[in-house]
Amino acid sequence: MKKINSLKSMFRQSQKWHAENKTVALVPTMGALHEGHISLIRAAKRKADKVIVSIFVNPTQFGPNEDYDNYPRTLNDDIKICRNAGVNAVFTPSVPEMYPDNSSTFVSEEVLSKYLCGTRRKGHFRGVCTVVLKLFNICNPDIAVFGQKDAQQSIIIKKMIRDLNIPVKIIIAPIKREKDGLAISSRNKYLSPEERKQATVIYKSLREVQKWQEGNLSVAQIRRKLIRFIQREKDIRIDYIYIVDTNSLTEVTRPDKGEKLLIAVAVFFNKARLIDNIEVKW
Ligand code: AMP
């Protein structure tokens, strides 16, 4: 497995693979790798000859009061995980090389980014789109794999691909969960043992929705029930619960029968912010 940190070497390596007629997949991550990331790597390996995992804690997607400084960084373990997973190159660029002084060009998706996490994390998706496009330009992948865990991010990346004619095929991998249902996340490390127990309520609440749907409740009633269900845990603070159309991300009040809805939840335990979601058919 190659360990690459310079942008030029990464670009050249990808060019070399393309010259050998190999297909290249990229799995962009911020490191602190876990089973969720590994599932993305497996999906990438099934689809391409060579797999690049980028590990870059991207400063431009963090707000001023967010956890950029404290975000878990476990590079040595990450490299072992990548090697065991059969990754061909780990790309770990530095912040100064990715964002040289006077960087002043950003990519901003202007509609879908306004909803859900966009209402809470101003500038977050601008940072995400910018770094993803930069990684695409440097790694030149045929395929890139993202997780349904960050449902809004995946939808926005697909929109950016379409709007800017970027020749990369996007694959969305399903959410990997702990045995008790909690969506695996690098940020779960922030939870105390007591909070970790309480955090199982997030997915439990989402699973309840299917039962409630059978009771012919309205979207608003289901949303209220979700809030009450989650608030049973004392240390949890709901950031948002939205029930939205899976394409437009706009809130739906009276869905058509068969319409696909995304139920997206963001909560805080203290300063740790966790997100989860499910898709349901109305
Ligand atoms: P991150 O390192 O958190 O930025 O995540 C990198 C990629 O892994 C993103 O595309 C995430 O959606 C995906 N990911 C993170 N957690 C999970 C999970 N539990 N299941 C599936 N994909 C995940």
Side-chain angles (χ1 to χ4, degrees):
M1 184 178 78
K2 296 184 187 304
K3 287 187 273 172
I4 301 174
N5 42 46
S6 98
L7 277 51
K8 209 181 241 170
S9 310
M10 186 67 254
F11 186 81
R12 289 219 183 105
Q13 180 61 61
S14 182
Q15 267 190 328
K16 187 164 169 270
W17 281 330
H18 285 296
E20 293 164 2
N21 265 332
K22 305 288 186 207
T23 52
V24 176
L26 171 66
V27 180
T29 81
M30 297 204 299
L33 299 184
H34 51 61
E35 278 300 326
H37 299 114
I38 295 171
S39 73
L40 268 52
I41 295 170
R42 291 205 186 102
K45 281 182 70 74
R46 282 196 295 273
K47 299 278 177 186
D49 301 319
K50 300 289 177 186
V51 174
I52 304 168
V53 172
S54 62
I55 298 179
F56 181 63
V57 184
N58 173 36
T60 64
Q61 71 188 69
F62 288 80
N65 298 317
E66 294 183 354
D67 55 345
Y68 175 70
D69 288 335
N70 299 325
Y71 196 83
R73 288 162 170 89
T74 57
L75 188 58
N76 290 340
D77 290 344
D78 293 349
I79 286 173
K80 278 185 212 144
I81 287 175
C82 287
R83 190 172 286 124
N84 290 338
V87 168
N88 302 95
V90 176
F91 177 45
T92 54
S94 70
V95 173
E97 219 195 338
M98 283 295 271
Y99 296 106
D101 279 349
N102 304 328
S103 268
S104 58
T105 308
F106 295 87
V107 184
S108 178
E109 188 289 322
E110 305 215 326
V111 175
L112 303 168
S113 301
K114 293 217 160 74
Y115 307 116
L116 310 180
C117 287
T119 62
R120 304 295 199 274
R121 306 185 68 189
K122 297 273 179 261
H124 170 67
F125 290 113
R126 176 181 183 257
V128 169
C129 286
T130 303
V131 81
V132 168
L133 182 58
K134 285 167 72 74
L135 289 169
F136 285 176
N137 287 336
I138 298 158
C139 301
N140 199 7
D142 301 285
I143 292 167
V145 188
F146 294 85
Q148 174 65 18
K149 159 88 181 0
D150 297 88
Q152 183 177 18
Q153 168 175 291
S154 297
I155 291 168
I156 292 172
I157 300 286
K158 279 189 185 163
K159 189 76 196 304
M160 173 177 85
I161 291 291
R162 201 209 65 173
D163 289 352
L164 301 182
N165 312 93
I166 300 169
V168 176
K169 183 175 158 53
I170 303 298
I171 292 170
I172 309 299
I175 303 177
K176 267 273 172 193
R177 299 181 177 281
E178 302 285 3
K179 282 203 180 72
D180 60 13
L182 178 66
I184 303 176
S185 163
S186 312
R187 290 191 166 99
N188 292 349
K189 292 195 171 121
Y190 298 146
L191 303 177
S192 70
E194 174 55 32
E195 289 168 341
R196 173 64 188 80
K197 267 189 233 154
Q198 295 183 26
T200 57
V201 79
I202 306 166
Y203 185 53
K204 277 189 201 138
S205 74
L206 292 172
R207 288 190 40 185
E208 288 295 305
V209 170
Q210 255 145 11
K211 284 190 215 155
W212 298 336
Q213 269 185 302
E214 285 160 19
N216 277 330
L217 299 182
S218 68
V219 167
Q221 283 169 321
I222 287 181
R223 187 164 176 277
R224 278 199 294 277
K225 272 175 102 62
L226 272 170
I227 293 171
R228 279 203 293 275
F229 197 99
I230 291 176
Q231 279 175 339
R232 294 200 306 214
E233 297 298 350
K234 64 178 173 38
D235 298 319
I236 217 166
R237 183 161 58 80
I238 295 174
D239 190 29
Y240 68 64
I241 295 178
Y242 287 119
I243 302 182
V244 298
D245 178 88
T246 48
N247 295 314
S248 67
L249 297 182
T250 52
E251 283 194 83
V252 176
T253 46
R254 281 176 222 282
D256 297 326
K257 193 155 176 47
E259 189 170 341
K260 265 186 21 194
L261 304 179
L262 176 74
I263 307 188
V265 177
V267 302
F268 280 105
F269 281 98
N270 224 325
K271 284 191 178 151
R273 185 174 183 277
L274 306 183
I275 57 171
D276 200 352
N277 68 81
I278 54 161
E279 279 189 10
V280 297
K281 220 173 179 184
W282 194 252

